[in-house]
Amino acid sequence: MGSDGKYKAAKLALELVKDGMVLGIGSGTTVEIFLNLLGEKIRMEGLEIYGVPTSYQSYYAAIRNGVRIVDLVEYEPELCIDGADQVDSKMNCIKGGGGAMTREKIVAKASKKVVIIVDENKLVEKLSMPVPVEVLPFAYGYVSRKLKDLGSEVKLRHGSGKVGPIITDNGNFILDCEFDKIEDEKVERVEEDINSVSGVVENGLFPKAIVDKVLVGKS
Ligand code: 5RP
């Protein structure tokens, strides 16, 4: 059911892609569906599409699908397509379920337009899930204490396939930080407060000011 919604959202995003475009390419399963559809379009219509990927996952998926990899040194993406873990009623988002939020935020901010693709299960009235925070391993203890002082419950992210903490594509740890529901008017403030702690690299709060459009696929 969720993946049907993801497919529909990805299909809608495909309509925005034009020949010769430079795309910012987010990460996650919805983006991977988008890249597979884009690959078909590239093959059928002989398009040239360039992309700045935000993770190893989307880097390899982009290459497999015929997208030419470029970087932010030479290019400013026209359109960034990315997924999200939660989207509130004002289009504020939480991202980073896949741990790629740092590069995702950089590429989103570097892009002229940002379009988020989600299935309807991601929609909430107010943001409420833990906020992923990427942190330098050296600073992990200090940052944890500071984020607790800000009122959050902090958990170091562990995964499968490796013992110990998850290491991001940038070589860092992730802390999942549970705050109470985050009201629309507080999103930017919380984002800034988290990022003001020394040792924090970036966090997964994407305030609505970064987001131009949310495409929701309903199953
Ligand atoms: C990765 C992300 C993803 O966009 C987010 O987790 C959504 O993933 P999916 O499309 O698999 O549900 O922010 O850091």
Side-chain angles (χ1 to χ4, degrees), residues 12-218:
L12 285 172
L14 199 64
E15 290 171 21
L16 305 174
V17 178
K18 306 275 176 281
D19 193 20
M21 253 190 180
V22 180
L23 298 176
I25 302 172
S27 302
T29 53
T30 319
V31 167
E32 188 145 0
I33 294 169
F34 166 76
L35 285 170
N36 292 339
L37 291 169
L38 180 60
E40 274 171 34
K41 192 174 159 104
I42 289 172
R43 284 190 295 277
M44 304 277 284
E45 299 175 24
L47 307 182
E48 286 215 357
I49 302 293
Y50 304 85
V52 182
T54 53
S55 61
Y56 289 125
Q57 179 226 8
S58 59
Y59 175 81
Y60 292 118
I63 289 176
R64 266 198 317 274
N65 284 294
V67 175
R68 296 178 182 214
I69 304 297
V70 292
D71 62 31
L72 296 177
V73 178
E74 279 187 290
Y75 292 92
E76 194 179 24
E78 271 165 78
L79 176 65
C80 176
I81 305 285
D82 202 350
D85 299 296
Q86 270 192 345
V87 182
D88 77 7
S89 55
K90 305 283 190 218
M91 298 203 321
N92 298 294
C93 301
I94 292 182
K95 292 183 43 51
M101 62 281 179
T102 297
R103 293 190 194 190
E104 288 171 338
K105 200 181 282 186
I106 293 166
V107 172
K109 286 188 169 178
S111 300
K112 290 185 190 141
K113 278 226 153 72
V114 176
V115 172
I116 299 291
I117 49 175
V118 289
D119 67 64
E120 60 193 319
N121 302 324
K122 305 286 184 62
L123 302 182
V124 292
E125 185 55 32
K126 288 176 189 160
L127 298 179
S128 56
M129 63 173 283
V131 178
V133 178
E134 181 160 355
V135 55
L136 288 177
F138 176 76
Y140 149 62
Y142 167 73
V143 171
S144 299
R145 288 192 287 279
K146 284 299 198 186
L147 294 180
K148 280 180 195 154
D149 290 348
L150 284 179
S152 82
E153 258 183 52
V154 179
K155 280 203 188 108
L156 180 62
R157 191 182 293 183
H158 287 72
S160 56
K162 172 191 172 295
V163 290
I166 278 188
I167 307 293
T168 68
D169 289 356
N170 310 309
N172 296 315
F173 290 172
I174 292 179
L175 301 177
D176 289 301
C177 302
E178 184 149 10
F179 292 86
D180 286 336
K181 286 192 171 138
I182 308 174
E183 307 281 338
D184 166 48
E185 55 280 7
K186 294 207 178 130
V187 173
E188 285 195 16
R189 183 63 202 273
V190 176
E191 188 209 12
E192 282 166 20
D193 284 350
I194 296 172
N195 281 357
S196 71
V197 179
S198 298
V200 168
V201 180
E202 188 49 88
N203 72 78
L205 277 172
F206 279 53
K208 63 189 176 198
I210 305 179
V211 178
D212 293 289
K213 194 178 272 198
V214 178
L215 298 174
V216 182
K218 296 193 172 189

